[in-house]
């Protein structure tokens, strides 16, 4: 489906590969163990510009990548076991509440919506599903369906040149609970720690300590390989673009034609009031952009055809009128 709404229920099978993601396509992306892969996420369908943030609207949270070994990636439905190969999560900023801290989605958001990581070399060759996920915590102090928002897409890979045995796995659903401290959390308070949901990154995988706080367009990020060394920051060998929450797709070039974005949704009970005074005169936020909330100083008007709707006291968003 061509949409960009999040998954909000971690107990749903949609948490595997998004809505409709249980059906594959014929083609697969061929990559070598050790190759760098880039996932790209943008807020609006078809938008790949680096002149603005990738995912706007303060969608702060961790970014995680999983693999699942399958017999045939073109037919696998994501019901098998998954292991985590990459994580860019959270770091404490000296001042401010958790929304002012460093987050994996800030790295992605301010770097042209791009996230790069390497395929571990210590896993067997064969077909895999790759699951890339951005977890938005701007409303995570509320339980579902208006709490944490999961944006994920799956890609069909054939990995060559690998060696070793498969690590322990988790299943989706099952790996996450709506009450996990990394999912049910208020980021608008001072955080002393944050633990991303799911298993730890496997040996041979990589983690990154987020460090980007301002928009910088295209940028590269160095991650630390578990077990020593660092991942390179060279251009990606395979690009897997995502800009909507659609079914799993892949091509021989590694680019998907679907999209996983930073759009948020609101409950039917949301109102049109905002929690901040009027922002800069004459400006307006785009559809799905932020338009209010405690501490927000941006535009409180919405673009034509949309209205400002309150999700919680910290976050209001422009939605279709």
């Amino acid at each position: 489906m061509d949409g960009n709404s999040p998954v909000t229920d971690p107990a749903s099978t949609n948490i595997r590969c998004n809505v409709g993601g249980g059906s594959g396509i014929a083609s697969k992306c061929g990559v070598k163990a050790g190759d760098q892969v880039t996932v790209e996420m943008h807020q609006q369908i078809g938008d790949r510009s680096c002149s603005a943030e990738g995912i706007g609207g303060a969608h702060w949270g961790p970014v995680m990548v999983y693999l699942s070994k399958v017999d045939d990636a073109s037919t696998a439905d994501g019901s098998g076991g998954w292991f985590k190969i990459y994580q860019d999560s959270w770091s404490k900023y000296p001042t401010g509440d958790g929304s002012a801290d460093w987050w994996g989605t800030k790295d992605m958001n301010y770097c042209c919506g791009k996230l790069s990581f390497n395929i571990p070399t210590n896993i067997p060759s064969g077909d895999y599903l790759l699951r890339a996920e951005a977890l938005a915590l701007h409303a995570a102090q509320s339980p579902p369906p208006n709490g944490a928002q999961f944006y994920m897409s799956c890609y069909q890979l054939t990995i060559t040149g690998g060696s070793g045995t498969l690590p322990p796995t988790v299943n989706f659903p099952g790996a996450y609970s709506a009450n996990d401290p990394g999912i049910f959390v208020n980021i608008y308070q001072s955080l002393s720690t944050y633990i991303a949901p799911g298993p730890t990154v496997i040996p041979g995988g990589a983690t990154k300590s987020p460090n980007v706080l301002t928009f910088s367009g295209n940028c590269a990020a160095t991650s630390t390989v578990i077990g020593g060394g660092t991942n390179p920051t060279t251009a990606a060998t395979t690009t897997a673009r995502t800009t909507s929450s659609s079914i799993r797709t892949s091509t021989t070039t590694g680019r998907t034609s679907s999209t996983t974005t930073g759009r948020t949704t609101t409950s039917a009970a949301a109102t049109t009031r905002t929690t901040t005074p009027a922002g800069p005169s004459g400006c307006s936020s785009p559809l799905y952009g932020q338009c209010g909330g405690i501490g927000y100083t941006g535009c409180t008007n919405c673009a034509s055809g949309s209205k400002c709707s309150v999700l919680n006291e910290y976050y209001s968003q422009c939605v279709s009128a």
Side-chain angles (χ1 to χ4, degrees), residues 240-293:
R241 178 171 66 94
T242 64
T243 55
S244 80
S245 58
S246 68
I247 66 170
R248 182 178 71 245
T249 60
S250 66
T251 69
T252 53
T253 62
R255 177 180 297 176
T256 66
S257 58
S258 58
T259 58
T260 300
T261 75
R263 174 186 165 186
T264 62
T265 57
T266 58
S267 67
T271 69
T272 57
R273 66 179 175 85
T274 60
T275 58
T276 55
S281 176
C283 74
S284 61
S285 294
L287 183 64
Y288 311 127
Q290 187 173 3
C291 56

Side-chain angles (χ1 to χ4, degrees), residues 115-237:
L115 148 72
S116 296
F117 52 90
N118 288 70
I119 300 298
T121 59
N122 59 334
I123 59 173
S125 297
D127 274 18
Y128 287 82
L129 294 182
L130 184 149
R131 177 183 179 275
E133 171 189 355
L135 173 55
L137 301 173
H138 59 285
Q141 72 273 25
S142 302
N146 298 316
Q149 299 181 353
F150 303 86
Y151 299 89
M152 79 295 293
S153 287
C154 291
Y155 306 90
Q156 300 169 184
L157 305 183
T158 298
I159 297 175
T160 58
S163 63
T165 59
L166 287 174
T169 61
V170 297
N171 290 325
F172 288 104
Y176 298 166
S177 167
N179 292 318
D180 286 346
I183 294 175
F184 188 21
V185 59
N186 181 3
I187 66 169
Y188 301 100
Q189 60 182 340
S190 179
L191 299 177
S192 59
T193 187
Y194 174 81
I195 305 298
T200 58
V201 175
I202 66 164
T207 61
K208 181 183 180 295
S209 182
N211 61 354
V212 180
L213 280 180
T214 58
F215 174 72
S216 55
N218 258 318
C219 60
T222 300
S223 50
T224 300
V225 177
I226 306 300
T230 59
N231 281 337
T233 58
T234 56
T237 302

Side-chain angles (χ1 to χ4, degrees), residues 61-79:
V63 177
M64 298 166 283
V65 178
Y66 294 81
L67 285 176
S68 177
K69 182 76 168 61
V70 296
D71 293 332
D72 184 349
S74 66
T75 59
D77 63 2
S79 60

Side-chain angles (χ1 to χ4, degrees), residues 40 48-52 110-114 215-220:
E40 186 174 347
R48 298 189 67 190
S49 172
C50 291
S51 62
Y110 297 147
C111 297
C112 194
K114 294 178 180 178
F215 174 72
S216 55
N218 258 318
C219 60

